[in-house]
């Protein structure tokens, strides 16, 4: 089947199997085209929290995103589009380490980026996404906050909430952390006059040189709202989709060889078709006691971030 036939077959298979497809903005634009809902991590979590009539969900993205859907909707069959698609940040600190930290620092609130395993979420007080982190951290009751695992998002948040004492972990997204100041300087030289939009998972010295900072969906909205050319400093999927949907606009990828997330790019359109038919992907199972513990921190995120 060619791409357009495959897309048609997917639309039919979704109907036949009653499958709702959620896709993260980093997925291939063809996958986003056939998705029922696409967006950043927070948009996908919110969608997962309110779709009682849906029995089956295929999440095109990485494992923590499918886990979040299952944590919020245990009665649904939740399938991850590719068994091996995991975010390396999800396990950059162990649950034991968080427990030990808590015992030594009982007055600290533990805040986990949503890019964490279910086991880690179960040890934390609240989750945040890149679009909700500042709002949620500023509303936490305690003055001291341990922010895990992304040092870059953590230091971005710390700048906006000087009233809190934020303890950073040393984790990072290998894809975004690889972008250098020189990459930004090169892009500025190549596209003079263009704005630069960056994801807060990039290093703070990179973020400091950019015009707009936001989650993947916020970057897309920013690009649509300005008339300038924009250089995009987040995973390639965002620029690919914008360039394809708005061919008359000047959208340019910053550091195109670096900003490709190998995990987000594992899923192909064919995989999506096969997964809808039950022949590919991974059905998510989470033990109930663990799910309930992890759900607390996601519920808090939806409560404070919504
Ligand atoms: P968003 O919250 O912006 O979707 O980011 C998720 C992610 O994995 C970024 O690398
Ligand atoms: Fe994880 Fe980075 Fe890939 Fe996002 S881009 S899924 S943070 S590795």
């Amino acid at each position: 089947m060619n791409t357009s036939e495959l897309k048609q077959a997917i639309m039919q298979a979704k109907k036949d199997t009653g499958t709702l497809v959620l896709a993260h903005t980093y997925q291939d634009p063809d996958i986003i085209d056939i998705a029922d809902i696409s967006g950043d991590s927070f948009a996908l979590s919110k969608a997962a929290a309110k779709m009682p009539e849906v029995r089956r969900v295929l999440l095109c993205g990485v494992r923590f995103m499918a886990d979040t859907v299952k944590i919020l909707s245990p009665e649904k069959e939740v399938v991850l589009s590719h068994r091996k698609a995991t975010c390396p940040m999800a396990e950059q600190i162990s649950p034991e380490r968080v427990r030990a930290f808590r015992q030594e620092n009982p007055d600290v609130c533990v805040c986990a980026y949503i890019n964490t395993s279910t086991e880690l979420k179960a040890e934390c007080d609240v989750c945040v996404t890149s679009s909700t982190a500042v709002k949620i951290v500023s509303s936490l009751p305690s003055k001291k906050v341990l922010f895990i695992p992304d040092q870059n998002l953590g230091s971005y948040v710390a700048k906006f909430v000087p009233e809190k004492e934020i303890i950073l972990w040393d984790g990072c997204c290998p894809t975004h952390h690889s972008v250098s100041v020189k990459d930004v300087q090169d892009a500025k030289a190549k596209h003079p006059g263009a704005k630069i939009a960056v994801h807060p998972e990039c290093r703070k010295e990179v973020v400091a040189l950019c015009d707009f900072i936001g989650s993947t969906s916020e970057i897309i909205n920013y690009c649509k709202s300005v008339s300038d050319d924009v250089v995009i400093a987040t995973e390639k999927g965002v620029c690919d989709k914008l360039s394809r949907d708005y061919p008359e606009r000047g959208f340019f990828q910053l550091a195109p060889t670096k900003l490709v997330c190998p995990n987000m790019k594992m899923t192909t359109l064919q995989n999506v078709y096969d997964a809808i038919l039950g022949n590919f992907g991974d059905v998510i199972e989470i033990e109930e006691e663990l799910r309930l513990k992890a759900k607390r921190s996601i519920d808090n995120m939806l409560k404070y971030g919504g």
Side-chain angles (χ1 to χ4, degrees):
M1 280 191 271
N2 64 29
T3 302
S4 129
E5 288 164 346
L6 192 50
K7 281 180 170 173
Q8 271 180 21
I10 288 175
M11 298 314 272
Q12 188 59 49
K14 285 201 299 179
K15 260 194 212 150
D16 295 344
T17 59
T19 304
L20 184 94
V21 177
L22 303 182
H24 186 263
T25 40
Y26 290 160
Q27 293 292 288
D28 187 274
D30 284 328
I31 295 178
I32 293 184
D33 284 347
I34 58 78
D36 297 288
I37 300 170
S38 66
D40 65 9
S41 305
F42 191 63
L44 298 180
S45 309
K46 268 201 309 195
K50 42 177 179 171
M51 41 185 193
E53 69 294 354
V54 176
R55 305 304 313 153
R56 188 163 185 262
V57 177
L58 173 66
L59 187 294
C60 303
V62 288
R63 184 166 295 277
F64 77 81
M65 296 174 175
D67 286 350
T68 302
V69 178
K70 186 70 181 177
I71 290 167
L72 292 170
S73 302
E75 72 292 351
K76 299 189 201 318
E77 180 178 78
V78 179
V79 183
L80 171 64
S81 55
H82 196 299
R83 190 172 54 82
K84 292 189 178 161
T86 59
C87 172
M89 266 212 278
E91 292 176 18
Q92 286 177 339
I93 176 171
S94 70
E96 294 71 30
R97 204 61 209 274
V98 175
R99 268 200 297 276
F101 187 92
R102 267 188 183 295
Q103 273 183 352
E104 287 156 25
N105 305 272
D107 57 335
V108 172
C109 186
V110 183
C111 177
Y113 193 18
I114 196 153
N115 298 39
T116 39
S117 66
T118 303
E119 288 74 9
L120 268 170
K121 288 185 176 81
E123 298 297 333
C124 297
D125 298 299
V126 64
C127 285
V128 297
T129 63
S130 56
S131 62
T132 57
V134 171
K135 185 175 176 186
I136 292 175
V137 171
S138 63
S139 65
L140 293 177
S142 82
K143 183 167 163 47
K144 286 190 196 167
V145 178
L146 170 66
F147 191 96
I148 60 163
D150 186 7
Q151 57 186 288
N152 295 323
L153 181 62
S155 54
Y156 169 73
V157 171
K159 224 176 82 180
F160 288 91
V161 283
E163 69 280 14
K164 303 271 182 202
E165 189 184 319
I166 309 231
I167 304 152
L168 298 176
W169 196 248
D170 62 358
C172 68
C173 159
T175 302
H176 287 83
H177 198 71
S178 69
V179 174
S180 66
V181 164
K182 179 160 187 319
D183 291 324
V184 181
Q185 288 164 343
D186 289 350
K188 284 190 177 198
K190 198 168 167 195
H191 305 286
K195 299 281 189 234
I196 305 197
V198 69
H199 196 282
E201 284 176 13
C202 287
R203 293 166 188 267
K204 62 171 183 285
E205 56 275 25
V206 166
V207 169
L209 296 175
C210 298
D211 302 287
F212 178 80
I213 307 151
S215 75
T216 55
S217 295
E218 288 169 339
I219 290 176
I220 290 173
N221 291 337
Y222 170 75
C223 287
K224 289 182 189 168
S225 74
V226 295
S227 52
D228 313 77
D229 289 352
V230 187
V231 176
I232 300 172
T234 191
E235 210 276 344
K236 196 174 162 293
V238 170
C239 188
D240 286 349
K241 171 95 174 108
L242 283 164
S243 306
R244 205 196 57 176
D245 291 351
Y246 302 93
E248 72 290 357
R249 295 281 315 273
F251 295 127
F252 305 101
Q253 178 65 55
L254 187 121
T257 55
K258 292 181 177 177
L259 280 167
V260 180
C261 170
N263 289 284
M264 281 286 184
K265 290 296 188 257
M266 271 178 194
T267 304
T268 64
L269 201 56
Q270 183 67 48
N271 295 157
V272 174
Y273 180 56
D274 294 338
I276 293 172
L277 295 180
N279 301 324
F280 198 80
D282 200 25
V283 177
I284 304 293
E285 303 284 355
I286 300 173
E287 192 264 316
E288 185 60 7
E289 198 183 326
L290 175 66
R291 184 187 76 81
L292 289 173
K293 278 194 192 163
K295 185 171 181 292
R296 255 185 325 125
S297 49
I298 299 177
D299 284 343
N300 282 336
M301 172 184 85
L302 294 168
K303 186 167 129 198
Y304 296 115

